[in-house]
Amino acid sequence: MANLTSEQANQLSDDFFYLAMAIGDFRYANWERLTLEENKELSEIQGAILSCGEDILAFSTTLVMDEVGESLAKIRSITGEIRGTIKGLKSIQKGLDAASTILILGVAILKRDPMGIGNSIKDLFMVWKGSPE
Amino acid sequence: MTKKYWFPIFLIGLSCGLISCVNLKTVRDFSETSHVSIQNFEQIDYTFLDHCLDRCEDEAIGKYEFNRVLECPCELYVEADSVTQIMYQAIGGYFEGLGNLSQNELTTYSTDAVVNSMTAQELGPLAIDANMAKAYSTLSNILLRSATDFYRRRKIAGYITEANEPLQVLLSAFQGIIRTNLKGELRFKKERMYTYYMDMKMNNTLQSDYEKGKATGDYYRVLEEIQTKEKQMDLFAEALNAIAKGHQVLYDGRDKLSDKDLTKAINGNSAQVKRLLSEFNKLNP
C-alpha cells in the first residue's frame, strides 16, 4: 500500500474536525431528547474524534519531512558552502593588505628610492607575518 | 586643469569605467529582511507541544480531574516541533549566509594607511603629491575589490541558482506547516473551547447572571487570544510566500544582480516583507 502523504493526512484531519463539529451540533440540537448516558457517550466520541484530528495534523507535519528531505539536504549543503566562501573572503584581507604594500613598493622602485624600497619591504613583511601586538 | 590634477582624476575615472561598481546591496537588503522575518517564527509563541499540553490540561479541566503530576503523551507533537525547527534553521541559515556574503564590509578595505604611507615624510626623496597618492590608492582599492567582488558576485549568483529550487520547496512546505498544521491545531482548540462552554450552558451549570456573564467573557477572551495567534501565523506564512517570490526574482535576474530593474523589483518585495513584519510585530503583546 502506498504511504500516506501530508496532504492526504491534512484532508483526513479536516474530515475528523467537521465530523466532531457535526456531532456537537447534533448533541445541542437534540439535547432534550438524548438521555444523559447517550449525551455523555456522544460527547466522549466527539472529544476522541477531535483528539484524533489533532494527532493527525501533528503526524502530517512529520510526513512533510520525508517529502522535503532532499531539498533540506541541498540547502544545508549550500549554506555550508556560503559559510566557507565567507571564511575565504575574510582571509583575502591579508592578501589585499599585502597587495597595497606591494603597490607602495612598486612606486618606490619606479622612483628609484632605496629608502622607500627598504621601508616597503619591511612593511610587506609585517603585513604578511602580522603586526606584533 | 593642470596635468598634476588631471592624472588622478583620469585614473579614478578609468577604473570606474572599466570595472562597473558592484552593487550587492539588493541581495544584502533582501537577505537581511528575509532573515529577520524568518526569525519571527520564534515570536509566534505557540508550538505543537504547547498545543498538546493545553489539550491535556483542558481535558483534565473538563473531567474535573486532579493529578499530582499531569501526564501528557506528547511525543508526536515534540516530533512535529523538531520538523519546524529544522526548517526554520535551514531557511534562516541560508539567508543569514547570503546576507553575510553580500555585506560590502567583507571586501571594503581602508586605504587610509596606504595614502598616509605614500605621502609620509619618511619616504624621503620620494615626494608624492597627496592627490596622486589618493588616486593610486583608490585605483588599487577598486582593482583589488573588484577582483573579490567579482568572485563574490559570481559565487552569490551560483548559490542563488543552486538554492532556488530546494528553497522554494522548503519555503512552500514551511508555509504549509504553519498555515495548515499549526494553525489547524488552533481550530481544534477553538472547537474544544466552544464545546466546553456550550455544554456548561446546556447543562445549566451556571445560575447567576454574573457567572453567566463571566463565562461568556472568558470564552470570547480565549477566542480572541487564539485569533491573534492565527493572525500571527497567517502573517508569518504570508511573509514566507513573499520571501519565496523575492528569491525567485533574484534567481531570474541572477546574471544582472546590479540591474536597476532587478533592484526595483526586489525592493518592492522587501517592502512587502517589511510591511508584514511590522504587522506581525503589532500583534505581539
Side-chain angles (χ1 to χ4, degrees), chain A residues 69-107:
Chain A
E70 205 179 311
S71 301
L72 198 64
K74 209 161 180 190
I75 282 291
R76 279 176 163 172
S77 139
I78 293 167
T79 305
E81 278 181 46
I82 290 177
R83 286 190 183 134
T85 304
I86 291 170
K87 245 186 196 170
L89 278 169
K90 277 178 180 162
S91 67
I92 283 174
Q93 171 77 64
K94 195 174 168 184
L96 290 182
D97 286 347
S100 301
T101 322
I102 290 169
L103 183 74
I104 304 174
L105 175 64
V107 174

Side-chain angles (χ1 to χ4, degrees), chain A residues 14 18 27-28 31 51 54-55 57 60-61 71-72 81-82 85 92-93 96 104 111 113 115, chain B residues 51 55 76-77 86 97 109 117 122-123 126 144 148 159 169 181 185 187 192 195 198-199 202-203:
Chain A
D14 241 28
Y18 288 114
R27 278 203 307 126
Y28 302 133
W31 195 267
S51 294
E54 288 168 304
D55 288 349
L57 266 186
S60 135
T61 308
S71 301
L72 198 64
E81 278 181 46
I82 290 177
T85 304
I92 283 174
Q93 171 77 64
L96 290 182
I104 304 174
K111 294 276 177 183
D113 168 31
M115 193 176 159
Chain B
H51 181 77
R55 178 179 79 179
L76 192 58
Y77 292 79
I86 288 170
Y109 307 98
S117 51
E122 292 84 66
L123 282 178
L126 180 69
L144 293 167
T148 51
Y159 292 138
V169 171
N181 300 46
E185 298 285 17
R187 186 170 64 152
R192 202 180 297 285
T195 306
M198 271 300 281
D199 279 13
M202 300 301 276
N203 280 324

Side-chain angles (χ1 to χ4, degrees), chain B residues 172-191:
Chain B
S172 162
F174 197 22
Q175 203 189 134
I177 286 176
I178 299 299
R179 221 196 274 268
T180 309
N181 300 46
L182 194 56
K183 191 181 153 197
E185 298 285 17
L186 287 177
R187 186 170 64 152
F188 281 91
K189 189 178 164 75
K190 280 196 290 187
E191 190 57 23

Side-chain angles (χ1 to χ4, degrees), chain B:
Chain B
M1 190 181 287
T2 64
K3 196 182 171 187
K4 190 173 135 186
Y5 293 106
W6 177 84
F7 187 62
I9 293 166
F10 168 74
L11 277 178
I12 295 168
L14 179 73
S15 53
C16 269
L18 287 175
I19 305 136
S20 64
C21 297
V22 177
N23 178 17
L24 290 170
K25 195 175 177 295
T26 312
V27 181
R28 189 194 65 200
D29 287 351
F30 172 69
S31 302
E32 282 175 355
T33 308
S34 301
H35 187 224
V36 171
S37 195
I38 284 160
Q39 280 178 319
N40 262 351
F41 174 64
E42 288 178 16
Q43 306 296 320
I44 288 178
D45 197 26
Y46 199 73
T47 62
F48 283 99
L49 179 61
D50 289 336
H51 181 77
C52 180
L53 295 174
D54 278 359
R55 178 179 79 179
C56 194
E57 202 180 294
D58 290 345
E59 280 171 355
I61 293 169
K63 289 178 192 162
Y64 198 46
E65 203 176 78
F66 294 94
N67 297 293
R68 285 201 167 77
V69 177
L70 191 59
E71 299 277 353
C72 305
C74 292
E75 293 78 12
L76 192 58
Y77 292 79
V78 171
E79 209 181 317
D81 275 332
S82 73
V83 171
T84 58
Q85 272 301 324
I86 288 170
M87 290 207 173
Y88 165 63
Q89 298 291 349
I91 299 169
Y94 168 72
F95 279 107
E96 188 186 15
L98 199 64
N100 286 341
L101 188 57
S102 48
Q103 288 283 343
N104 274 344
E105 287 73 22
L106 211 57
T107 50
T108 299
Y109 307 98
S110 168
T111 57
D112 289 355
V114 182
V115 175
N116 290 342
S117 51
M118 284 177 101
T119 52
Q121 292 299 314
E122 292 84 66
L123 282 178
L126 180 69
I128 299 178
D129 177 79
N131 284 325
M132 184 70 85
K134 192 159 174 37
Y136 271 123
S137 156
T138 307
L139 175 65
S140 74
N141 192 45
I142 290 170
L143 285 169
L144 293 167
R145 192 175 153 199
S146 70
T148 51
D149 273 349
F150 176 74
Y151 168 76
R152 219 156 45 109
R153 199 161 45 162
R154 198 167 50 85
K155 278 284 184 191
I156 286 172
Y159 292 138
I160 289 170
T161 309
E162 249 186 283
N164 192 53
E165 198 189 321
L167 188 73
Q168 296 294 340
V169 171
L170 285 185
L171 282 168
S172 162
F174 197 22
Q175 203 189 134
I177 286 176
I178 299 299
R179 221 196 274 268
T180 309
N181 300 46
L182 194 56
K183 191 181 153 197
E185 298 285 17
L186 287 177
R187 186 170 64 152
F188 281 91
K189 189 178 164 75
K190 280 196 290 187
E191 190 57 23
R192 202 180 297 285
M193 285 292 116
Y194 175 76
T195 306
Y196 175 70
Y197 284 100
M198 271 300 281
D199 279 13
M200 204 184 275
K201 181 189 169 182
M202 300 301 276
N203 280 324
N204 289 319
T205 313
L206 307 174
Q207 297 302 316
S208 72
D209 286 347
Y210 174 76
E211 282 176 322
K212 287 175 186 169
K214 176 89 172 55
T216 313
D218 285 350
Y219 170 69
Y220 284 109
R221 249 187 306 281
V222 173
L223 204 61
E224 204 184 317
E225 279 171 24
I226 296 174
Q227 280 166 347
T228 304
K229 283 195 166 53
E230 284 179 330
K231 179 87 180 139
Q232 275 189 325
M233 289 173 193
D234 275 338
L235 285 170
F236 181 71
E238 229 178 292
L240 291 179
N241 189 35
I243 290 167
K245 281 184 183 159
H247 198 274
Q248 185 63 44
V249 173
L250 270 185
Y251 171 80
D252 293 338
R254 62 196 179 280
D255 296 327
K256 39 179 182 167
L257 288 177
S258 306
D259 191 89
K260 272 185 187 164
D261 288 341
L262 178 72
T263 306
K264 211 172 149 190
I266 280 292
N267 284 349
N269 214 278
S270 292
Q272 199 195 343
V273 178
K274 278 179 189 159
R275 181 184 62 77
L276 293 166
L277 196 68
S278 154
E279 275 187 54
F280 181 96
N281 288 333
K282 277 183 207 156
L283 289 174
N284 270 341

Side-chain angles (χ1 to χ4, degrees), chain A:
Chain A
M1 199 173 81
N3 288 335
L4 189 72
T5 66
S6 61
E7 208 180 320
Q8 288 167 328
N10 286 342
Q11 188 56 54
L12 266 176
S13 167
D14 241 28
D15 295 343
F16 276 74
F17 175 80
Y18 288 114
L19 186 58
M21 213 164 116
I23 292 173
D25 289 343
F26 174 81
R27 278 203 307 126
Y28 302 133
N30 298 283
W31 195 267
E32 303 299 335
R33 289 168 59 198
L34 291 167
T35 63
L36 270 177
E37 277 305 306
E38 284 169 339
N39 201 335
K40 190 170 176 280
E41 198 177 331
L42 275 175
S43 167
E44 280 171 2
I45 293 172
Q46 185 190 3
I49 291 174
L50 279 177
S51 294
C52 203
E54 288 168 304
D55 288 349
I56 291 173
L57 266 186
F59 175 62
S60 135
T61 308
T62 65
L63 288 178
V64 172
M65 199 60 186
D66 301 333
E67 293 157 19
V68 300
E70 205 179 311
S71 301
L72 198 64
K74 209 161 180 190
I75 282 291
R76 279 176 163 172
S77 139
I78 293 167
T79 305
E81 278 181 46
I82 290 177
R83 286 190 183 134
T85 304
I86 291 170
K87 245 186 196 170
L89 278 169
K90 277 178 180 162
S91 67
I92 283 174
Q93 171 77 64
K94 195 174 168 184
L96 290 182
D97 286 347
S100 301
T101 322
I102 290 169
L103 183 74
I104 304 174
L105 175 64
V107 174
I109 292 168
L110 280 172
K111 294 276 177 183
R112 294 182 180 83
D113 168 31
M115 193 176 159
I117 292 169
N119 283 340
S120 299
I121 290 171
K122 197 171 75 189
D123 287 346
L124 179 60
F125 181 77
M126 292 298 288
V127 165
W128 202 250
K129 299 288 283 182
S131 57
E133 284 178 37

